[in-house]
Amino acid sequence: MKAQRIGYVLKKYPRFSETFIVNEVLELERQGVSVTIFSLYTPNEGRFHRKLSEVKAEVVYLPDLNPVGLFRWIYDHRERWSERGASPANALWESIVKDEKRASREFAKGLALAHEIEERGLDHLHAHFATSAARVARLAGSLTRTPFSFTAHAKDLYHESV
């Protein structure tokens, strides 16, 4: 069964160099799929493609939560997590162990995305690039039991740090 409500998780949207994402979203919309775009950060580019005006998808810029707000948010939503058998504490620990420099920011973004997933009833998450967007989608997907996928690109495969 084809997912009808997809969340696209991107590091920054829109980006001038990523026309393939705009084309992909337009094709999904043409096929009747409801797409919501989640951007981890606001773009800082001044140039945009004309095709962006054709995209119907809502764009949601995920907030940066401060530590107090983060823990308050976890506490306020504790019943949701326990109903699903998910543990934000375990997810946070896993994030810290894997990469402590980005862990708290990505964890906060993942929680905010998890909240959006539940509010919107999304069926699937998809991220482009095997970076922070994929990690945030994986975290949010694990907390909400929402399947996720990601597309790895040449930058992910051939970068000197890989």
Side-chain angles (χ1 to χ4, degrees), residues 1 3 6 9 21-23 35 46 56 60 64 78 88 94 96 107 116 119 128 131 136 144 152 155 160:
M1 182 170 135
I6 296 176
V9 185
I21 293 173
V22 174
N23 289 332
V35 178
K56 296 179 186 91
V60 176
D64 284 319
R78 66 191 178 283
E94 183 180 326
I96 289 171
F107 182 73
E116 293 288 339
E119 291 294 309
H128 272 277
T131 59
V136 168
T144 60
K155 179 180 174 180
E160 64 188 37

Side-chain angles (χ1 to χ4, degrees), residues 2 4 6 8 13 21-37 51-59:
K2 182 172 77 168
Q4 293 297 309
I6 296 176
Y8 257 57
Y13 179 86
I21 293 173
V22 174
N23 289 332
E24 206 169 283
V25 169
L26 287 171
E27 179 57 25
L28 287 168
E29 290 177 340
R30 188 191 71 72
Q31 292 182 25
V33 175
S34 172
V35 178
T36 304
I37 298 169
K51 278 193 160 187
L52 282 173
S53 64
E54 299 173 29
V55 174
K56 296 179 186 91
E58 178 183 4
V59 180

Side-chain angles (χ1 to χ4, degrees), residues 97-118:
V97 167
K98 289 187 177 189
D99 189 349
E100 65 185 67
K101 290 180 185 176
R102 291 185 289 241
S104 63
R105 177 172 266 177
E106 288 179 0
F107 182 73
K109 298 281 186 183
L111 286 178
L113 180 57
H115 176 72
E116 293 288 339
I117 291 167
E118 291 183 339

Side-chain angles (χ1 to χ4, degrees), residues 44-48:
N44 53 1
E45 297 180 19
R47 301 182 314 163
F48 301 104

Side-chain angles (χ1 to χ4, degrees), residues 6-9 24 123-130 133-135 137-138 141 146-152:
I6 296 176
Y8 257 57
V9 185
E24 206 169 283
D123 302 310
H124 189 87
L125 295 174
H126 183 73
H128 272 277
F129 299 99
R135 289 188 297 269
R138 181 189 61 80
T146 303
F148 90 99
S149 56
F150 72 94
T151 302

